[in-house]
């Protein structure tokens, strides 16, 4: 181990930034099962995806064995504004926990989207612009992805229409304002602007929305509007590819201090942050050069990994997307409105699903009151108010550090602090005044979601 | 000039951080006029201030000729979590403006207070804790200072009571929530919890508050509560002393690239950011080794520098404080509720007032619609949504860069980007939907404030 003093914040220099995305699929022993066309049951080819995604992104989505993709110069021009993100040593947290563990976190909140989402928003907007498209559509849950896309589209001069899950839209009015400040159009989903939305509202006028529904709406607008395509902030292979910058920077920064993580922890909704953070470390694990434990932390109220089925499913509630093999609660799963913040998606990245299925990863679910307790402890010690999503990873890291205290093991823990909670104060207030509660679905609660699974694959 | 490529973000290493605060007063040719006891008309001595401030802070307040103060290790422990703040080269803004000017900004928003205010909150809480105090009181306008103090007090284990200007309290409910998350008690000011507040409410039940009123309330609680003292986030000499870290880091980072600013621009409310940013550069100007232009940008609706009087005045509306010689609109000045964000204080740092009076600085006032236009342009190009206060400096920098375009001069501009606007979305929304208006007080509007000035000094 190095004797160099490890600073509170490790910043790479601009010339140490990764210049290529790393595609973890290229090093997987077995690839995820292919995306299927629901009509034919056949594997999807890039051309199938061109009506939906910019062509380069469609290619990235399906390029299973291409190990690296160059990051375009125009994308680097923005990355250099907010990257490298700091790799932080949580000295104060370690001290407060009285743990022998060394705790690091990769903090992705120092940009206006408030999270890591900007890492994928920029290339997605860039390729759309390069291919002559004029606009994009997307969905957003907690709002970070919508904000990130609004920033990226403002920068490249593209229109953007965002469908925001209604329960979040109402809880976070300022998310709409910030997206509009960057020029985006924002609708609460389900909305009356799409067939998908109108169908759902007709059956259930009080439907509070879900990512699955919002995806259906955004997709419908994209494929029916000339010059538009659709973008998604998680789940997809291309998103994990772009988010590999998180892991690559973390690896490099740790290397400078001769460190390597024994445990890597990330929150998991669709898998965008977790997949990016772990990419180079999972490669090492697959190749047998290192053997870190890799742990996904998900909300007990939306437990895709821990209680979902590994099955082919639609990525949206309207069943418009190709089928992906993943851990899923079923596209008909309705997340509880009780649950604060993001991580409300029914499915999970097919890459992460495969790795979990094959035993390379662990997963654990946690309840939100304990998540917010960890968040508030962290804020007081490390002066960063975390996003509720990110706080799931804090909960996981604190629990592992406390185990080290019991066993006396000096483990090195790395977790992803994906973003800040400045737009989540309603949830913090509920935690402060004791009105926040937990919700763990019963098996009966989960059954309607499983009933919605297609009989394929 | 260096041929080294200048990165988008310059981060000092941890061992390049300043370890001492720099006291600009020590190098001023003429000192600011002394603070006076309003009862006796005599200069204040440290003992006079002990009932109000922690003793070390009282000493710093009056230590005119002590050039440096060590930054305590316990303070450095937190600084290292969020400092160095990045010195940023605004390549995208330069390109969009098509200016030969080089534009740098020192970005202080990457911490949960959302601004530079944390730099002074930490030492103020630290000294209180060291001296065995149990609690602090303060006021906050836009909310950054209150949040910063809440963070600092949570860290050091002190109680905190915050009086928040009522108009901001109502516009920004989430500021209260974030301060409460860190354990602070927050009241809208004027409140019925103090004599000062009750007196104002009796005369004017709809009074929307001002920093001057909130200071009176906080001060009253501090001096009447055992073990409590009062803290202030701007105006005071001690605050400018702590904020010198902004300027010292900027100077060091520019030095690494053989750069020196021709023009330095900061927003000015009470002067905390501006005074900190310019400290080492003003020293050079006073000593004649460099001759940068130094420009304060203030709101046209609260024009202390540009339309105030240079006179002895109270720092609060309740006339409880010592008298300070400063540019002031009078402690009875009522800022317009039309004005968004901070920079609503009637007075101005005595240090900056003296420097302005002696011709070392310029000042300019700007109207808020043009400020928000600059803010939104900046956000789209540089991906940071600025606080409305910070956007005043952006407006000033953009105007200077455009002058360079006209003249063809390749000037180096440095401005202070004090913070982020995530809690200011109501104001951004007003700018987005065109309902924001400007307000420039007439001479008659200013007269009641001037009538409130004491006949002293």
């Amino acid at each position: 181990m190095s004797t160099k003093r490890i600073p509170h914040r490790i910043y790479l220099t601009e010339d140490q930034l990764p210049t290529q995305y790393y595609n973890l699929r290229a090093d997987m022993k077995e690839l995820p099962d292919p995306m299927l066309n629901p009509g034919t049951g056949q594997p999807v080819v890039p051309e199938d995806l061109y009506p939906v995604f910019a062509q380069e992104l469609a290619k990235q989505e399906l390029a299973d064995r291409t190990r690296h993709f160059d990051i375009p110069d125009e994308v680097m021009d923005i990355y250099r504004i907010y990257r490298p993100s700091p790799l932080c040593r949580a000295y104060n947290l370690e001290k407060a926990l009285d743990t022998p563990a060394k705790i690091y976190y990769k903090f992705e909140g120092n940009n206006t989207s408030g999270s890591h989402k900007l890492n994928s928003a920029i290339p997605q907007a860039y390729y759309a612009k390069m291919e002559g498209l004029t606009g994009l559509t997307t969905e957003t849950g907690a709002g970070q992805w919508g904000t990130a896309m609004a920033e990226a589209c403002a920068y490249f001069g593209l229109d953007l229409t965002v469908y925001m899950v209604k329960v979040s839209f109402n809880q976070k009015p300022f998310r709409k304002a910030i997206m509009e400040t960057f020029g985006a159009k924002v609708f609460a989903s389900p909305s009356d602007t799409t067939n998908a939305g109108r169908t759902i509202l007709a059956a259930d006028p009080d439907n509070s929305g879900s990512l699955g529904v919002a995806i259906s709406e955004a997709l419908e607008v994209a494929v029916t509007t000339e010059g538009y395509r659709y973008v998604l902030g998680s789940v997809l292979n291309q998103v994990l590819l772009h988010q590999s910058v998180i892991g690559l920077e973390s690896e490099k920064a740790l290397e400078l201090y001769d460190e390597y993580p024994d445990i890597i922890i990330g929150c998991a909704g669709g898998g965008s942050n977790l997949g990016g953070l772990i990419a180079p470390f999972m490669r090492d694990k697959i190749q047998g050069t290192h053997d870190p434990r890799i742990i996904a932390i998900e909300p007990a109220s939306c437990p895709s990994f821990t209680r979902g089925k590994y099955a082919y499913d639609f990525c949206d509630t309207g069943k418009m997307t190709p089928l992906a093999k993943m851990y899923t609660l079923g596209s008909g799963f309705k997340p509880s409105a009780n649950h604060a913040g993001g991580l409300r998606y029914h499915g999970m990245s097919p890459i992460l699903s495969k790795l979990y299925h094959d035993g390379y990863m662990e997963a654990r679910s946690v309840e939100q009151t304990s998540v917010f307790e960890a968040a508030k402890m962290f804020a007081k010690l490390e002066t960063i108010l975390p996003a509720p999503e990110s706080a799931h990873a804090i909960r996981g890291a604190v629990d592992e550090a406390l185990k080290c205290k019991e066993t006396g093991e000096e483990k090195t823990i790395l977790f992803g602090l994906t973003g800040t909670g400045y737009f989540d104060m309603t949830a913090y207030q509920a935690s402060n005044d004791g009105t926040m509660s937990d919700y763990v679905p019963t098996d009966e609660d989960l059954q309607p979601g499983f009933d919605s699974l297609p009989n394929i694959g």
Side-chain angles (χ1 to χ4, degrees), chain A:
Chain A
M1 198 180 316
S2 170
T3 54
K4 272 187 279 190
R5 145 106 191 156
I6 296 167
H8 287 65
R9 294 284 183 269
I10 307 173
Y11 284 103
L12 300 178
T13 60
E14 203 168 86
D15 55 11
Q16 290 171 325
L17 288 183
T19 57
Q20 293 187 313
Y21 297 120
Y22 166 61
N23 181 14
L24 176 59
R25 282 169 287 165
D27 287 310
M28 287 171 70
K29 296 241 160 93
E30 287 180 29
L31 285 171
D33 291 330
M35 202 182 270
L36 299 182
N37 179 318
T40 64
Q42 291 302 305
V44 159
V45 294
E47 290 70 20
D48 294 337
L49 298 178
Y50 290 169
V52 178
F53 299 131
Q55 294 191 9
E56 177 61 25
L57 295 167
K59 287 176 195 160
Q60 291 181 354
E61 190 61 32
L62 301 177
D64 283 338
R65 291 304 190 186
T66 308
R67 186 167 282 108
H68 293 106
F69 289 85
D70 287 341
I71 305 177
D73 289 344
E74 294 82 351
V75 172
M76 287 302 295
D77 279 346
I78 321 191
Y79 278 178
R80 289 194 194 100
I81 294 182
Y82 73 95
R83 308 203 68 78
S85 70
L87 181 74
C88 313
R89 174 81 183 264
Y91 283 114
N92 290 341
L93 180 61
E94 291 171 15
K95 195 170 154 192
L97 296 175
D98 189 23
T99 175
K102 291 187 280 186
I103 307 176
Y104 290 91
Y105 55 95
K106 180 70 167 166
F107 179 41
E108 293 287 326
N110 278 348
N111 72 77
T112 281
S113 80
S115 81
H116 67 295
K117 293 291 186 185
L118 196 54
N119 301 333
S120 186
I122 294 166
Q124 292 199 48
Y126 167 74
Y127 287 118
K129 185 69 180 179
M130 285 310 99
E131 294 175 18
L133 300 170
T134 57
L136 294 170
T137 70
T138 197
E139 75 298 319
T140 198
Q144 286 101 330
W145 171 246
T147 307
M149 276 311 306
E151 287 194 68
C153 287
Y155 184 85
F156 287 114
L158 290 163
D159 295 341
L160 178 69
T161 302
V162 180
Y163 287 88
M164 183 168 185
V165 177
K166 193 174 281 174
V167 61
S168 296
F169 185 94
N170 292 333
Q171 272 176 6
K172 306 184 192 187
F174 294 149
R175 274 283 176 203
K176 173 170 181 274
I178 194 166
M179 289 185 266
E180 288 176 346
T181 297
F182 285 101
K185 266 197 301 193
V186 186
F187 297 104
S189 168
S191 78
D192 61 4
T193 65
T194 64
N195 289 328
R198 285 186 292 267
T199 303
I200 287 162
L201 287 174
D204 178 8
D206 298 327
N207 190 298
S208 65
S210 70
L211 278 173
V213 172
I215 293 172
S216 297
E217 293 204 88
L219 204 49
E220 179 181 324
V221 174
V223 298
T224 58
T225 308
E226 179 69 26
Y228 272 44
R229 293 294 185 280
Y230 166 74
V231 290
L232 179 64
S234 193
V235 184
L236 296 174
N237 299 336
Q238 61 187 273
V239 175
L240 270 69
L241 175 71
H242 305 148
Q243 296 294 357
S244 66
V245 295
I246 304 173
L248 294 170
E249 284 185 12
S250 300
E251 179 192 32
K252 180 85 184 169
L254 287 169
E255 250 174 38
L256 296 176
Y257 293 89
D258 296 332
E259 288 274 37
Y260 196 93
D262 299 303
I263 304 173
I264 303 162
I265 297 170
C267 62
S272 67
N273 156 70
L274 182 65
L277 175 68
I278 69 174
F281 307 107
M282 182 60 86
R283 174 202 62 214
D284 295 348
K285 189 177 173 100
I286 292 168
Q287 296 180 340
T289 59
H290 289 273
D291 191 26
R293 285 176 59 206
I294 294 175
I295 309 173
I297 312 284
E298 63 183 11
S301 58
C302 189
S304 318
F305 269 133
T306 51
R307 296 175 67 195
K309 293 194 192 304
Y310 189 46
Y312 268 105
D313 193 11
F314 291 95
C315 301
D316 70 322
T317 305
K319 304 192 174 185
M320 297 165 66
T321 67
L323 294 162
K325 182 80 172 280
M326 57 185 176
Y327 281 87
T328 177
L329 298 164
S331 65
F333 173 75
K334 280 192 205 163
S336 162
N338 165 289
H339 172 73
L343 312 180
R344 301 161 62 91
Y345 185 61
H346 67 275
M348 182 54 64
S349 149
I351 294 173
L352 296 181
S353 292
K354 174 70 176 166
L355 290 166
Y356 179 64
H357 185 253
D358 289 352
Y360 289 99
M361 285 174 50
E362 305 165 41
R364 193 182 302 155
S365 75
V366 292
E367 299 184 28
Q368 69 179 358
T369 53
S370 78
V371 165
F372 275 81
E373 288 313 311
K376 290 195 282 186
M377 175 178 64
F378 182 85
K380 285 172 191 174
L381 293 165
E382 297 285 324
T383 81
I384 297 167
L385 189 84
E389 301 80 38
S390 324
H392 286 70
I394 298 173
R395 177 78 265 164
V398 165
D399 291 343
E400 290 297 324
L402 290 174
K403 279 187 213 160
C404 288
K405 183 180 176 180
E406 276 178 35
T407 61
E409 289 172 290
E410 192 191 304
K411 296 216 165 143
T412 298
I413 299 171
L414 166 65
F415 73 89
L417 189 72
T418 54
T420 50
Y422 307 141
F423 291 86
D424 301 285
M425 295 317 301
T426 304
Y428 272 99
Q429 196 132 42
S431 172
N432 293 342
D433 65 19
T435 58
M436 175 172 277
S437 62
D438 289 318
Y439 166 74
V440 181
T442 63
D443 289 345
E444 288 69 38
D445 292 333
L446 294 180
Q447 200 53 50
F450 293 140
D451 291 341
S452 73
L453 285 170
N455 283 321
I456 301 178

